[in-house]
Amino acid sequence: MFETIEPIESVWKSRLPLPTQDDLPSEDGIQMETERHKKQMDLLIYSLAPWLIEHQDGYVNGNMFVYFSANQLKNENFRGPDVFVTLEVSNEERKSWVVWEEGKAPDIVIELLSETTVKEDKSKKKQIYQNKLRVPEYYWFDPFNAEDWAGFDLKKGRYERMSPDAKNRLVSGSLGLALTRWHGIYEGIEAVWLRWETLNGELLPTPQEARDIQAQRANTAFSEGEQKGKLETARKMLAKGYNFAEIAELTALSLNDLTALSSTYR
């Protein structure tokens, strides 16, 4: 049986005044399970944050306390999600996510499973996200067992398991993005990673990938400009009667380039 839960708004409003994020603990000294768990969390957060800035207001973070009721203040056995996303809010820095301050709970939660958390993530935490926080979308993923992943939509107050789309992705209706399992190297670790992807199939780049893309575009533009300059020099030399060998030595253009260029003067 599911427990009947009082609407979250009435829970905090009935106990005002409540503490702010400056009054509440924001650290528990507990680190992520493994290096891969930490990198997986970073991959999801750092690739989504720039997209949120560009496409809509929102906040993404992880391994942060989420406070949702006065009763919770007396019971410290609930730690925040590994990754969460809240839409239609600012992306300003926060110490914790305090629902009664923000006016809403997260829209998306992702838990990264481990041997010590898998039972709680699939039962107790799932019930908290469903019944108390009313999180519209809940996902879990095991960084060491990519087959153990799932997504849930909140419908009529109960989670319903998502079905993968034709590309075997879990589509977030809240974001208009998909979560996909990607095999590759991230931060020196080759594994199957959970990543954000557009519905057209383009991965949201990490900051390093974005810098690499920009550098590649700049190099391409420079190379195209350089080639254009060489061709212009070659045209002028052809017009003045220089032979191919002389032009090639000065411009480093190939014989094929010069042959094609010379045909324009015939």
Side-chain angles (χ1 to χ4, degrees):
M1 294 291 293
F2 293 106
E3 67 174 311
T4 302
I5 301 296
E6 185 180 1
I8 190 168
E9 293 86 355
S10 63
V11 170
W12 77 65
K13 288 180 180 178
S14 65
R15 294 174 173 83
L16 294 176
L18 288 170
T20 69
Q21 61 177 297
D22 292 324
D23 304 316
L24 295 164
S26 58
E27 297 182 6
D28 58 10
I30 301 176
Q31 302 297 318
M32 295 292 291
E33 292 290 323
T34 66
E35 179 183 3
R36 189 179 300 183
H37 281 80
K38 175 62 167 60
K39 292 185 185 303
Q40 175 64 84
M41 179 186 74
D42 292 344
L43 176 57
L44 289 166
I45 293 172
Y46 295 153
S47 60
L48 184 61
W51 186 91
L52 283 173
I53 293 173
E54 183 177 351
H55 291 83
Q56 58 180 297
D57 292 334
Y59 180 79
V60 58
N61 212 321
N63 200 28
M64 172 187 283
F65 284 164
V66 173
Y67 291 98
F68 56 85
S69 77
N71 288 335
Q72 182 192 0
L73 303 180
K74 303 174 184 178
N75 183 3
E76 299 179 358
N77 62 357
F78 173 73
R79 294 176 62 212
D82 292 325
V83 178
F84 70 93
V85 184
T86 313
L87 303 177
E88 298 179 353
V89 297
S90 73
N91 66 349
E92 65 189 75
E93 181 184 15
R94 293 163 172 88
K95 296 178 180 178
S96 303
W97 189 268
V98 184
V99 171
W100 55 84
E101 277 194 309
E102 303 289 350
K104 66 178 298 186
D107 292 287
I108 298 169
V109 161
I110 303 173
E111 291 290 0
L112 304 177
L113 307 179
S114 68
E115 292 181 0
T116 59
T117 68
V118 59
K119 184 176 180 180
E120 181 174 336
D121 289 339
K122 292 185 176 183
S123 55
K124 179 182 177 181
K125 277 197 168 184
K126 183 168 176 271
Q127 292 301 306
I128 289 175
Y129 298 139
Q130 173 184 273
N131 296 334
K132 296 187 177 182
L133 280 165
R134 309 282 203 275
V135 177
E137 295 178 19
Y138 175 50
Y139 303 87
W140 69 56
F141 175 73
D142 187 339
F144 287 94
N145 177 17
E147 295 304 312
D148 195 353
W149 77 319
F152 301 86
D153 279 319
L154 190 66
K155 296 181 178 180
K156 297 181 179 180
R158 298 289 181 263
Y159 276 139
E160 292 186 10
R161 189 158 187 155
M162 297 179 184
S163 297
D165 70 358
K167 297 180 180 179
N168 201 27
R169 307 173 302 178
L170 297 176
V171 176
S172 166
S174 299
L175 285 171
L177 296 172
L179 283 167
T180 188
R181 292 171 295 182
W182 171 80
H183 181 269
I185 299 175
Y186 175 66
E187 294 292 315
I189 298 177
E190 182 177 1
V192 176
W193 302 94
L194 190 65
R195 295 195 63 168
W196 299 106
E197 185 176 80
T198 68
L199 299 186
N200 292 329
E202 296 180 4
L203 292 172
L204 298 195
T206 66
Q208 183 59 55
E209 288 171 340
R211 288 191 291 270
D212 291 343
I213 291 170
Q214 290 177 346
Q216 184 177 13
R217 288 174 178 169
N219 288 335
T220 299
F222 176 80
S223 297
E224 290 175 350
E226 188 178 36
Q227 182 74 356
K228 185 177 180 180
K230 289 179 179 180
L231 290 171
E232 184 61 29
T233 298
R235 285 192 188 96
K236 292 177 180 178
M237 293 181 72
L238 282 171
K240 293 179 179 180
Y242 286 86
N243 61 42
F244 279 9
E246 293 171 320
I247 298 172
E249 182 178 0
L250 180 63
T251 64
L253 289 171
S254 69
L255 180 61
N256 288 338
D257 289 333
L258 294 174
T259 301
L261 184 62
S262 67
S263 66
T264 62
Y265 285 89
R266 295 176 182 174

